[in-house]
Amino acid sequence: MPTALPSLTPREQLRAGRLPRRLTQLYLGLALYGFSMAMVIEAGLGLDPWDVLHQGLGEQLGWSFGTVTIVVGALVLLLWIPLRQWPGLGTVSNVVVIGVAVDAGLWLLPPVDSLPVRTALLLGGVVANGLAGATYLASSFGAGPRDGLMTGLVARTGRSVRLVRTLIELTVLGVGVLLGGTVGIGTVLYAVAIGPLVQLFLPLVAVRLPGRTPHPPVSRRPRPPAGAPAGRRGTG
């Protein structure tokens, strides 16, 4: 079942209410997102699909990994236009906070050689990444370039977050492999698991915005006026 993700303009994002809760959730989610990425990297069992694409493009174009990441992010933002997606505080913070959190995570996590520990690190990183993505998206401050592509397609197609995210990850992975990017078991796991995980965690971290809670369904059969005789039941 599709999960509702409100598409708000920058002004609406700031005026939607519950700012302390939403700001806290935004930055905690982004920090956890970056740290979970560091866990996946440190496990050494495969890059996530987008990084496979970045690596493949870098090899084909002779560009640095960071340059490719920036250019791909800018191109993905162009896709927001037909999808009617709005940037926001979360879009800008996505780049800064996640980058800092990844570096901090790689500095804090010790080198790991044991395969069971690396496997546990990978599994924990993928689950934490799904929770982190849902947490910051549910703050309604705008998504990062790649997550915004997902939320835009969910809104336009009416499909579930689980399906749309999985299709995006598998498409990106396929293109990255064709361009020469390297994959591992962690790459495949991330591609097939991240969509269902985000879908699972979104209802748990959703923030109810004042004035945007859907009204309960109203019966189409009007009530009889006071004092009127009750109609017969069971007449079909």
Side-chain angles (χ1 to χ4, degrees), residues 31-92:
L32 179 60
Y33 198 103
F35 190 82
S36 64
M37 287 177 63
M39 293 172 66
V40 174
I41 294 171
E42 196 65 35
L45 295 173
L47 299 172
D48 70 76
W50 282 100
D51 283 343
V52 173
L53 175 64
H54 298 153
Q55 183 189 53
L57 283 171
E59 292 182 359
Q60 296 296 322
L61 300 174
W63 296 355
S64 70
F65 194 92
T67 300
V68 173
T69 302
I70 293 170
V71 171
V72 170
L75 292 175
V76 171
L77 278 175
L78 292 178
L79 296 176
W80 284 28
I81 298 174
L83 295 174
R84 299 177 185 177
Q85 285 291 99
W86 288 95
L89 180 62
T91 310
V92 178

Side-chain angles (χ1 to χ4, degrees), residues 27 33 68 90 117 138 154:
Y27 288 107
Y33 198 103
V68 173
V117 176
V154 167

Side-chain angles (χ1 to χ4, degrees), residues 124-213:
V126 171
V127 173
N129 194 264
L131 173 60
T135 299
Y136 100 81
L137 285 172
S139 70
S140 299
F141 275 116
R146 295 155 186 83
D147 285 329
L149 176 62
M150 175 194 71
T151 58
L153 287 172
V154 167
R156 298 292 287 177
T157 64
R159 301 296 183 179
S160 70
V161 170
R162 175 177 59 249
L163 175 62
V164 171
R165 181 63 180 263
T166 301
L167 289 176
I168 290 174
E169 296 292 331
L170 291 176
T171 301
V172 167
L173 174 59
V175 175
V177 171
L178 290 175
L179 292 173
T182 56
V183 301
I185 185 63
T187 310
V188 178
L189 174 64
Y190 188 98
V192 300
I194 195 64
L197 285 171
V198 173
Q199 177 83 21
L200 172 67
F201 288 125
L202 267 174
L204 303 179
V205 295
V207 181
R208 292 184 179 273
L209 302 180
R212 291 184 178 270
T213 303

